[in-house]
Amino acid sequence: MRLTVATHRVRPLRGVAAPRLRIAMVADLHACRPAMDVPRIDAIVARVNALAPDLICLLGDYAGHAWATRTLPPDRVVPSLLRLSAPLGVVAVFGNHDWADDGRAYRRESSDTHWHRAFAEAGIATLVNGVRPIVAEGTPLTLAGLDSQMAHGRGPAGGEHDLDAVRDAIDPRHFTILLAHEPDIFPELPDHVDLTLAGHCHGGQIRFFGRAWVCPSRYGTRYDRGYFRDGARQMVVSQGLGCSGPPLRLGAPPEITVVELG
């Protein structure tokens, strides 16, 4: 299936400084055989690097979840992701299927998943309900990250995210970029979370007459893909790369998403 690149241009809206920054979003790999095997992941990694981003954001759901496929374990996927390269680094959060892929973690018998541990052991930077200050072009920024809001299901107690901890750690004087696998958190965010980057919805994965067939969000198709704005807050939702459920995409091709900031 052809790989597309979608670009969104974003500027600050609340009067804080932000540098010119090119961000590549890699969402919803759903690594599995045969649909998203290692050679295809390697090709995606090469394509992302060729885009020359300043920062690469991995937005969760590395675990496969497509019918009639075999999920790849973390030790088959992480070596490919280690080849991603950007001047400001590679930063990751985790998705609901990463939790579901680890039975003990999904049953709350472990505080993290084998995906969390594999990323940590490999040295891939992760934001698990935390923040990371960076400086780009002499301008301080805050990167923030939430763990999955649907780690244990879609109910009100199903998430591993801690918005209060993240919110308390953010300096509102700096432009803030939040990584969140699911876009559902967007209406709850304070105004000083300037830009949210999310995935999860696959753009509906299957679209008829321009509308998503189904979208795994409590808001339905409201945040299925693309750019959204609410006051000074902005969000870009990647259409993602892999498949969940039926191993096909229709009207929602696999996508590397690029955000041009500034």
Side-chain angles (χ1 to χ4, degrees), residues 3 61 141 247:
L3 180 62
D61 273 8
L141 301 172

Side-chain angles (χ1 to χ4, degrees), residues 6-63:
T7 300
H8 301 270
R9 291 174 175 82
V10 175
R11 61 184 178 85
L13 296 179
R14 66 177 179 95
V16 294
R20 295 179 62 87
L21 200 63
R22 184 175 175 84
I23 305 169
M25 300 167 60
V26 177
D28 303 290
L29 269 178
H30 289 296
C32 63
R33 300 180 61 190
M36 184 66 77
D37 208 345
V38 171
R40 186 173 179 201
I41 296 171
D42 287 342
I44 290 169
V45 166
R47 184 75 178 275
V48 171
N49 286 340
L51 294 169
D54 301 298
L55 173 69
I56 299 173
C57 297
L58 307 179
L59 293 167
D61 273 8
Y62 314 101

Side-chain angles (χ1 to χ4, degrees), residues 153-203:
R154 297 190 191 180
E160 286 286 338
H161 62 298
D162 187 343
L163 179 57
D164 289 339
V166 170
R167 182 169 44 208
D168 292 346
I170 291 172
D171 186 340
R173 296 172 299 175
H174 299 159
F175 190 92
T176 295
I177 301 171
L178 173 70
L179 281 58
H181 174 67
E182 299 94 348
D184 290 22
I185 199 70
F186 186 57
E188 302 174 36
L189 297 176
D191 286 344
H192 58 269
V193 176
D194 299 279
L195 174 62
T196 300
L197 306 180
H200 180 64
C201 294
H202 299 197

Side-chain angles (χ1 to χ4, degrees), residues 32-248:
C32 63
R33 300 180 61 190
M36 184 66 77
D37 208 345
V38 171
R40 186 173 179 201
I41 296 171
D42 287 342
I44 290 169
V45 166
R47 184 75 178 275
V48 171
N49 286 340
L51 294 169
D54 301 298
L55 173 69
I56 299 173
C57 297
L58 307 179
L59 293 167
D61 273 8
Y62 314 101
H65 188 251
W67 302 338
T69 63
R70 179 174 296 180
T71 297
L72 296 182
D75 62 3
R76 295 289 309 282
V77 179
V78 168
S80 296
L81 298 180
L82 282 172
R83 288 194 282 273
L84 289 166
S85 179
L88 295 177
V90 179
V91 184
V93 294
F94 298 94
N96 55 306
H97 287 296
D98 305 323
W99 283 87
D101 192 49
D102 185 328
R104 291 188 67 251
Y106 186 74
R107 295 190 299 271
R108 302 181 190 269
E109 296 169 6
S110 172
S111 61
D112 59 8
T113 75
H114 52 211
W115 289 96
H116 290 72
R117 295 189 291 274
F119 276 47
E121 290 167 5
I124 297 175
T126 60
L127 286 169
V128 181
N129 300 319
V131 304
R132 178 183 181 185
I134 62 172
V135 177
E137 295 186 335
T139 302
L141 301 172
T142 300
L143 292 180
L146 289 176
D147 212 327
S148 173
Q149 301 153 56
M150 300 180 184
H152 310 284
R154 297 190 191 180
E160 286 286 338
H161 62 298
D162 187 343
L163 179 57
D164 289 339
V166 170
R167 182 169 44 208
D168 292 346
I170 291 172
D171 186 340
R173 296 172 299 175
H174 299 159
F175 190 92
T176 295
I177 301 171
L178 173 70
L179 281 58
H181 174 67
E182 299 94 348
D184 290 22
I185 199 70
F186 186 57
E188 302 174 36
L189 297 176
D191 286 344
H192 58 269
V193 176
D194 299 279
L195 174 62
T196 300
L197 306 180
H200 180 64
C201 294
H202 299 197
Q205 189 169 306
I206 298 172
R207 301 178 71 88
F208 296 111
F209 305 105
R211 295 183 60 84
W213 175 42
V214 65
C215 192
S217 164
R218 70 175 184 265
Y219 294 104
T221 60
R222 179 176 173 184
Y223 300 126
D224 61 352
R225 64 178 182 179
Y227 171 84
F228 303 90
R229 176 180 173 181
D230 186 350
R233 292 181 292 111
Q234 301 174 85
M235 178 169 69
V236 174
V237 179
S238 175
Q239 194 159 267
L241 292 154
C243 294
S244 180
L248 76 153

